[in-house]
Amino acid sequence: MGTSLTPEFWERFAVLLVLAAGLTCVLAAVFDDLAVRVLRRRAHRTPPQAPYRPERHDHRTSVHC
C-alpha cells in the first residue's frame, strides 16, 4: 500500500537538504584552511641538514682482517 508524500515531508526534506549542503560547505572550508596551514608550516621549516660524511681518503680499506 503506497503512501503519498505529504507537504510536511517536502518541507522537512528541503530544510534538511539545505542544512546538509551548508554543513558540507562549512566543513570543506575548515578542512581546506587546515590543509593550507599545514602546508605553509612545512614550507617555513628549515630543510634537514645533510648527514655527516667523513672526508674521503685516497687509500682503500683492507679487505683482510
Side-chain angles (χ1 to χ4, degrees):
M1 298 189 200
T3 58
S4 62
L5 300 176
T6 63
E8 182 184 358
F9 166 81
W10 289 112
E11 184 180 326
R12 287 186 182 176
F13 176 78
V15 169
L16 289 174
L17 183 64
V18 169
L19 286 175
L23 183 63
T24 301
C25 290
V26 168
L27 288 176
V30 167
F31 283 115
D32 186 45
D33 184 51
L34 288 175
V36 168
R37 286 184 185 187
V38 168
L39 291 175
R40 284 184 184 166
R41 189 173 295 163
R42 285 185 184 173
H44 289 301
R45 286 186 184 171
T46 57
Q49 294 181 355
Y52 172 74
R53 293 184 182 176
E55 292 182 22
R56 193 169 179 189
H57 298 289
D58 290 336
H59 65 78
R60 292 185 174 186
T61 308
S62 175
V63 178
H64 304 289
C65 292

